[in-house]
Amino acid sequence: MSKLLRKPAGTSGRVPHVPPENAGWTYVGFDVHRLKPGETVTGETGDREVCLVLVAGKAKVAGGGRDFGEIGERLSPFAGKPWSVYVPAGQPWSVTATTDLELAVCSAPGGGSYEARLIGPDQVGAETRGKGANVRHVANILPEGEPAHSLLVVEVITPSGNWSSYPPHKHDRDALPAESYLEETYYHRINPPQGFAFQRVYTDAGDEGVRALDEAMAVEDGDVVLVPEGYHPCAACHGYDLYYLNVMAGPKRTWKFHNAPEHAWLLKA
């Protein structure tokens, strides 16, 4: 199995667990908790900031000295925009499930003067990108225009048979304004869940045609894919819609990507 592919460790509790040191990088941390009604998970942000995303279900959420009450609406990630809570560094948080709950804990280095806040569906910008078999639907949970120190969080739904993160692009060089360095995780869900999708993570070929990284993965429901560098397109198989939650972070909080030059013609087609 690819070193970039992380399978869920069971069906309840914390599944999966991807701290930065386990991923072999510096910035992004990602966990998913599956809770039954009445179960609680708590945390301390420490020197990191956190975005709590209710992937599916409802919960009572508190963080950063604020009680946000019961939030959540959708019971599936394929059924509308999410509810989320941002918690800055140095603050505690707690989540108590009031229904079956799928909670994503997205983290990155914190700093600055930020306050805990609720991010409701009406605050999540929605857009459709691409055309034809490249159409996908984007929900911007924590984009660079919203306050945070280093976290960027976005959801994408790719319809059956379509491509996403395509044409292939990368963001693995700290070379602004042309490109920013951002680590990234993809948390995949499939509808119906017995399906699968594909994702490739690869770098440019060197002088002898050899790529430093080239991994092609069959992605199943609940899998996490790590993108430490390189291009990272994915495809939804016919009959199955693909959801993924992206978490990105790096030395500068901006998303500037570089398209694979051999595929750039697709943007004009």
Side-chain angles (χ1 to χ4, degrees):
M1 186 173 72
S2 169
K3 63 182 180 181
L4 303 181
L5 180 63
R6 304 298 170 88
K7 308 294 282 188
T11 58
S12 62
R14 186 170 62 182
V15 290
H17 175 46
V18 186
E21 58 272 18
N22 180 272
W25 56 30
T26 304
Y27 298 96
V28 171
F30 184 74
D31 291 341
V32 173
H33 297 265
R34 293 181 180 268
L35 305 178
K36 294 295 184 182
E39 292 183 334
T40 298
V41 61
T42 64
E44 295 277 349
T45 57
D47 60 357
R48 299 175 68 78
E49 61 185 1
V50 163
C51 186
L52 307 170
V53 180
L54 274 63
V55 177
K58 302 179 182 181
K60 294 178 180 178
V61 181
R66 297 187 61 187
D67 184 350
F68 297 101
E70 185 181 38
I71 65 171
E73 184 175 343
R74 67 186 188 185
L75 299 181
S76 162
F78 298 93
K81 293 191 288 186
W83 289 77
S84 307
V85 169
Y86 170 81
V87 185
Q91 299 293 330
W93 57 268
S94 69
V95 176
T96 300
T98 56
T99 68
D100 286 346
L101 179 68
E102 185 176 352
L103 170 72
V105 181
C106 317
S107 73
S113 300
Y114 301 99
E115 295 184 356
R117 68 184 188 275
L118 178 68
I119 306 171
D122 59 341
Q123 297 168 283
V124 175
E127 59 179 304
T128 297
R129 296 178 186 162
K131 58 184 178 180
N134 198 38
V135 165
R136 62 271 198 204
H137 308 290
V138 180
N140 292 300
I141 298 170
L142 195 58
E144 60 187 85
E146 296 297 326
H149 182 71
S150 57
L151 263 177
L152 296 166
V153 183
V154 62
E155 287 185 343
V156 178
I157 291 180
T158 306
S160 161
N162 283 18
W163 285 80
S164 198
S165 295
Y166 189 85
H169 70 268
K170 70 181 185 74
H171 37 73
D172 58 12
R173 294 187 306 134
D174 189 6
L176 291 171
E179 186 176 349
S180 56
Y181 173 82
L182 293 170
E183 301 163 353
E184 185 170 20
T185 54
Y186 276 67
Y187 174 57
H188 290 282
R189 292 293 312 279
I190 313 289
N191 185 34
Q194 71 270 24
F196 61 96
F198 290 103
Q199 185 159 24
R200 183 187 182 195
V201 181
Y202 67 100
T203 54
D204 287 312
D207 293 338
E208 297 181 0
V210 177
R211 302 182 191 275
L213 176 64
D214 195 352
E215 300 278 355
M217 291 156 276
V219 176
E220 296 180 305
D221 189 51
D223 287 353
V224 175
V225 172
L226 310 182
V227 183
E229 61 178 325
Y231 308 98
H232 39 277
C234 50
C237 293
H238 174 70
Y240 298 93
D241 293 335
L242 171 66
Y243 162 99
Y244 56 79
L245 175 64
N246 283 145
V247 183
M248 294 182 283
K252 299 180 179 66
R253 189 173 179 258
T254 185
W255 182 53
K256 302 295 183 184
F257 58 88
H258 170 76
N259 288 310
E262 66 272 29
H263 303 300
W265 68 271
L266 291 166
L267 297 170
K268 302 176 183 179

